[in-house]
Amino acid sequence: MDIPFWNREIETLDRASLEKVQLERLRQMVSWALKTPFYGRKLASAGIGSPEDVKSLRDLERIPFTVKDDLRRGFPRGLLAVEMSEVVRIHSSSGTTGIPTVIYFARDDLDRWTDLLARSITATGASSRDILQNMMTYGLFTGGLGLHYGAERVGMTVIPIGGGNTKRQIQTMKDFQTTVLHVTPSYLLHIHSQFENEGVRPGDLAVKRAFIGAEPHSENTRRKIEDLLGIQAFNSYGLSELNGPGVAFECVHRKDMHVWEDAYLIEIIDPKTGQNVEDGQEGEVVLTNLVRRAMPILRYRTRDLAFVHPEPCECGRTHRRLSRILGRTDDMLIINGVNVFPSQIEERIMKVPEVATNYLIHVDKKGALDRLTVKVEIYPKLFLGEAARLEALRARIREELRSSIVISPNVELHEPGSLPVSEGKAKRVVDERPKD
Ligand code: ADP
Ligand code: K
Ligand code: ZN
């Protein structure tokens, strides 16, 4: 197989040289991070007052972890390491408390991030001859714009269609003979389920590849996508704290994702002890961004569970591979690619005066899509009124939730005592999505 490279030299760098690059960049990151009071304190506690105090990559383990709450507490500018006039882009992701996390990019940050995506896209075998339909949400999410820039750098023909509107997605695939899709796995399966309705016949479409990510999925789901659509599907991993997509991406072999190790230091830790584990062992992914100046992030605990492959990939890249994401250490739900925390839901519904004390979050699958239902108990006298009033209440709760969690859940109203109560720790979330 002819293996394509965007930057063969850096992608196949021998381990010792790669580690030299990492150490240089880590020192650079420390010097940038020291510009923020937040990392000033954190690094001081590790005895690091200047970049020279980082003598080897092992010194990384002395630096305390950064967690999502650190980013929230610093909202909005706490971790900004440059003047705002140098910032050319802001992205943001949703949070548990309604306080989002904000990510800042300087021009050179965007340039380096874009290059990682160009590298990722090229590793899949896609090229300037391809037509990309980017179905990820544009806007504050990193998924849409992030990959868009990388695709343009590769020279692909980019259709920035964004998420949703299945009919139009399918028509666009036909009209422009799209060859590559960027999409969440659940949405891609949903789109496929509509092929018949939309009169898609074999030979109508030219899709050969899909980049799938932003939500957990199994190897079986990938196979299903590949078989149903007759394409190759490539797993893509990233998170906004570490720029967004382009942290790790599958190459033509589709045997887990190369982490671009000149740009990110990856550690797998035991989430209980915080200690590093060996390659091959499952644990929490901890990432250090080596390429962002406007907002440095060191040792970020992703709460994603995975392992690093000890053995090299057949493609010749020396950057190690990350397994697919096997779970999360926290209770975050991912509903059709959008992150939702149960606490966000609780916070909103408990503000509604008509709501009694018990509620339940129910998640299942309808066809290929995740379906979120929030069941709430309301006071009994409300059921005596007119049906229209109940309907209005339901709509109000739904809107209240939508404004916080972005997606619009089903809302069910129940009489007090009708939802299950558990003894001990309440089980508020029932997730019936197949784990396959
Ligand atoms: P995005 O805007 O891309 O959804 P977020 O920062 O909001 O980025 O969400 C990042 C989280 O999404 C990750 O920490 C992980 O839990 C999940 N995620 C992203 N890509 C994948 C993937 N390929 N497989 C499983 N989970 C993923
Ligand atoms: K996500
Ligand atoms: Zn490979």
Side-chain angles (χ1 to χ4, degrees):
M1 199 183 310
D2 185 23
I3 305 283
F5 288 93
W6 178 252
N7 184 340
R8 184 187 293 269
E9 190 190 337
I10 200 89
E11 292 172 56
T12 60
L13 213 54
D14 65 88
R15 214 52 225 178
S17 308
L18 185 55
E19 285 176 9
K20 235 175 100 187
V21 172
Q22 290 178 324
L23 182 59
E24 258 164 48
R25 291 193 177 167
L26 178 60
R27 288 198 179 120
Q28 175 72 81
M29 284 310 294
V30 164
S31 78
W32 289 335
L34 284 168
K35 296 187 200 296
T36 66
F38 172 77
Y39 277 114
R41 280 191 305 275
K42 258 201 200 305
L43 290 165
S45 78
I48 298 172
S50 80
E52 290 73 50
D53 294 331
V54 180
K55 302 265 186 287
S56 79
L57 286 173
R58 294 225 52 144
D59 285 332
L60 181 70
E61 284 177 50
R62 287 162 46 201
I63 301 173
F65 295 116
T66 299
V67 296
K68 189 139 193 147
D69 268 342
D70 290 326
L71 271 68
R72 291 210 193 91
R73 272 194 291 272
F75 181 84
R77 292 194 186 182
L79 276 73
L80 184 60
V82 299
E83 295 294 325
M84 194 53 97
S85 59
E86 280 204 66
V87 172
V88 298
R89 174 99 65 82
I90 288 176
H91 278 290
S92 159
S93 83
S94 59
T96 43
T97 59
I99 303 176
T101 52
V102 187
I103 312 296
Y104 296 102
F105 296 85
R107 192 177 301 282
D108 48 311
D109 296 336
L110 283 186
D111 183 57
R112 288 183 289 261
W113 179 29
T114 298
D115 220 65
L116 294 174
L117 283 153
R119 199 193 281 184
S120 303
I121 291 166
T122 305
T124 69
S127 72
S128 60
R129 289 182 295 279
D130 281 296
I131 298 172
L132 172 81
Q133 189 163 331
N134 191 5
M135 305 186 183
M136 288 288 185
T137 311
Y138 277 72
L140 285 171
F141 284 106
T142 53
L145 273 177
L147 191 108
H148 178 111
Y149 273 57
E152 282 190 353
R153 186 162 294 183
V154 168
M156 299 174 96
T157 308
V158 185
I159 308 170
I161 191 164
N165 199 342
T166 303
K167 232 179 159 57
R168 180 145 164 253
Q169 297 283 5
I170 295 173
Q171 191 59 44
T172 302
M173 287 186 213
K174 283 192 203 169
D175 291 346
F176 294 103
Q177 290 293 289
T178 302
T179 58
V180 181
L181 306 173
H182 181 217
V183 61
T184 60
S186 54
Y187 190 45
L188 183 49
L189 283 171
H190 175 71
I191 286 177
H192 179 268
S193 74
Q194 299 305 305
F195 275 2
E196 213 177 280
N197 283 346
E198 298 303 320
V200 175
R201 278 183 303 271
D204 277 358
L205 303 181
V207 181
K208 288 189 195 64
R209 292 183 179 82
F211 307 150
I212 54 174
E215 65 184 9
H217 57 283
S218 63
E219 187 59 35
N220 289 340
T221 297
R222 184 236 293 272
R223 292 239 171 83
K224 192 165 174 178
I225 287 172
E226 294 196 333
D227 293 347
L228 288 173
L229 286 111
I231 62 171
Q232 293 187 335
F234 299 82
N235 197 0
S236 151
Y237 172 75
L239 56 165
S240 46
E241 290 80 0
L242 279 303
N243 291 344
V247 173
F249 226 92
E250 284 185 326
C251 71
V252 289
H253 292 291
R254 310 205 301 299
K255 288 184 184 149
D256 287 339
M257 305 172 282
H258 289 282
V259 179
W260 302 125
E261 290 191 86
D262 58 316
Y264 302 101
L265 292 177
I266 182 162
E267 300 169 84
I268 305 288
I269 62 161
D270 177 334
K272 289 201 194 70
T273 65
Q275 296 299 311
N276 275 262
V277 302
E278 301 276 300
D279 280 1
Q281 278 188 296
E282 183 182 331
E284 181 179 346
V285 178
V286 172
L287 289 162
T288 296
N289 197 327
L290 294 177
V291 290
R292 199 170 55 212
R293 180 169 66 93
M295 185 179 171
I297 297 251
L298 306 173
R299 299 198 90 200
Y300 184 72
R301 288 187 68 152
T302 65
R303 300 190 262 199
D304 291 322
L305 297 170
F307 65 87
V308 166
H309 285 274
E311 69 285 349
C313 182
E314 296 157 53
C315 71
R317 288 183 180 79
T318 47
H319 301 233
R320 287 174 301 168
R321 284 165 303 147
L322 181 66
S323 73
R324 63 178 59 254
I325 303 305
L326 306 163
R328 301 261 318 160
T329 62
D330 62 14
D331 57 0
M332 184 180 85
L333 296 164
I334 301 183
I335 312 287
N336 298 322
V338 176
N339 304 350
V340 175
F341 290 85
S343 53
Q344 277 178 294
I345 295 179
E346 162 153 358
E347 192 205 25
R348 288 300 165 129
I349 58 179
M350 286 306 162
K351 263 179 28 191
V352 178
E354 291 88 343
V355 169
T357 55
N358 203 4
Y359 72 95
L360 191 78
I361 298 165
H362 188 265
V363 193
D364 62 0
K365 269 204 178 293
K366 184 164 190 251
L369 287 182
D370 298 329
R371 180 170 59 174
L372 173 67
T373 305
V374 179
K375 305 178 179 189
V376 294
E377 291 185 1
I378 59 167
Y379 291 106
K381 63 174 193 307
L382 294 165
F383 286 101
L384 302 172
E386 298 152 34
R389 297 262 298 271
L390 278 182
E391 194 40 55
L393 173 60
R394 220 168 62 80
R396 178 145 53 83
I397 296 174
R398 192 179 152 100
E399 180 49 31
E400 186 68 44
L401 287 169
R402 198 200 52 78
S403 70
S404 163
I405 63 177
V406 185
I407 52 178
S408 191
N410 300 317
V411 172
E412 284 178 19
L413 304 179
H414 291 262
E415 295 198 48
S418 59
L419 293 177
V421 276
S422 51
E423 290 162 19
K425 201 171 149 60
K427 194 173 171 353
R428 300 286 202 196
V429 180
V430 176
D431 192 342
E432 291 189 319
R433 289 176 290 186
K435 297 278 177 286
D436 57 20

